[in-house]
Amino acid sequence: MKVEIYSDIACPWCYIGKRRFEQALDRFDGKDGVEVVYRPYQLVPDAPAEASPHRAWLAERYGPQSVAMDARVAELGAAEGIRYDFDAALHANTFLGHRLLHLAETEYGPAVQVALKEALLKAHFTDGVDIGDRAALTEIAVATGLDGERVAGYLAGEEGTAEVRAQLEEGRQLGISAVPTFVFEGKWAVQGGQEAETFLRVLTQVAAETATTESPEHGESCTDGSCAV
């Protein structure tokens, strides 16, 4: 079974969704036969190259309610073992990070890409790292097992740019307008950072669908468990 997860590095619900999906996958009997691949999505594609404080950016965009928004996500994240530090977090353009994830998938494989995704999310939301900075991205990649010289050269050039832009466009063509969105076998989509039980039910139903002609139920929809443009 192939699961493609459309996700942005700067999406707090994507971090929660990743943890909950992985909890479900650990409990799924057929987990050894599941391939997980991350696909790019940018919540703010026109974010400037120079990073700025997350709190200030969110307040400008959503007003006074931004503090409560962060607090709610931090509380939910803590329940999943995630420590959000929104005071340290930086608003940054994520395109370079998506290029790096593409490199990890194509040259190191999906498992390394998943590990890199975790490292990037932690760097952004917990450690206050500028994920739009090439040197910082290279350091994260090396710690995840990628070759530093290869990564530095890759990020300095334009490799992977066309491919990532094509994947972003593919997501738009699929109608994906909020993340995280989990696409199972290229046919069925679940949106939002659903509970682990929901993901486990979907994994089980999709596995059954591959052997039958019945369509799986996707579980309840989520109104606030995803990040929308």
Side-chain angles (χ1 to χ4, degrees), residues 84-166:
Y84 287 102
D85 187 347
F86 289 114
D87 289 326
L90 297 171
H91 174 58
N93 194 296
T94 58
F95 189 80
L96 280 176
H98 287 302
R99 281 181 56 207
L100 184 58
L101 287 165
H102 175 71
L103 174 68
E105 181 208 350
T106 55
E107 295 192 8
Y108 291 84
V112 173
Q113 189 205 38
V114 170
L116 177 61
K117 179 73 172 185
E118 177 74 21
L120 290 171
L121 288 166
K122 180 179 181 295
H124 177 63
F125 285 112
T126 302
D127 301 331
V129 174
D130 178 2
I131 54 170
D133 179 76
R134 287 175 172 81
L137 287 172
T138 300
E139 185 176 341
I140 294 167
V142 170
T144 312
L146 281 69
D147 179 76
E149 185 175 346
R150 171 65 175 129
V151 170
Y154 176 88
L155 292 176
E158 295 297 323
E159 274 188 272
T161 297
E163 290 83 353
V164 171
R165 293 201 186 284

Side-chain angles (χ1 to χ4, degrees), residues 58 76 79 82 110 119 147 215:
L58 200 70
L76 291 170
I82 300 169
D147 179 76
S215 297

Side-chain angles (χ1 to χ4, degrees), residues 53-77:
H54 160 81
R55 291 284 201 191
W57 171 79
L58 200 70
E60 181 179 351
R61 186 163 188 172
Y62 294 106
Q65 66 176 327
S66 64
V67 175
M69 291 168 61
D70 277 348
R72 182 170 185 272
V73 169
E75 181 180 2
L76 291 170

